[in-house]
Amino acid sequence: MYAALWRILPGPAWLRVVLLLAAAAVVVYGLFTFVFPWVSTLLNPQEVTVQ
């Protein structure tokens, strides 16, 4: 999968690295902004059984 991403991206190696880092930052931002808050509404933290 990573080799396919590397081949698809245009430009020299340094530009590909920058593009991949930017894409990873966008994915992490999306997870923290949309996915994790949505999942936290589905979980009930009051039902903890650890003593």
Side-chain angles (χ1 to χ4, degrees):
M1 178 176 145
Y2 298 112
L5 284 174
W6 190 258
R7 284 190 303 260
I8 290 172
L9 291 174
W14 65 269
L15 181 61
R16 292 177 184 185
V17 169
V18 170
L19 289 173
L20 286 174
L21 289 174
V26 167
V27 168
V28 169
Y29 176 77
L31 285 173
F32 276 101
T33 305
F34 301 109
V35 177
F36 294 156
W38 173 71
V39 170
S40 71
T41 62
L42 300 176
L43 301 174
N44 190 358
Q46 300 300 324
E47 297 179 9
V48 178
T49 58
V50 178
Q51 296 179 355

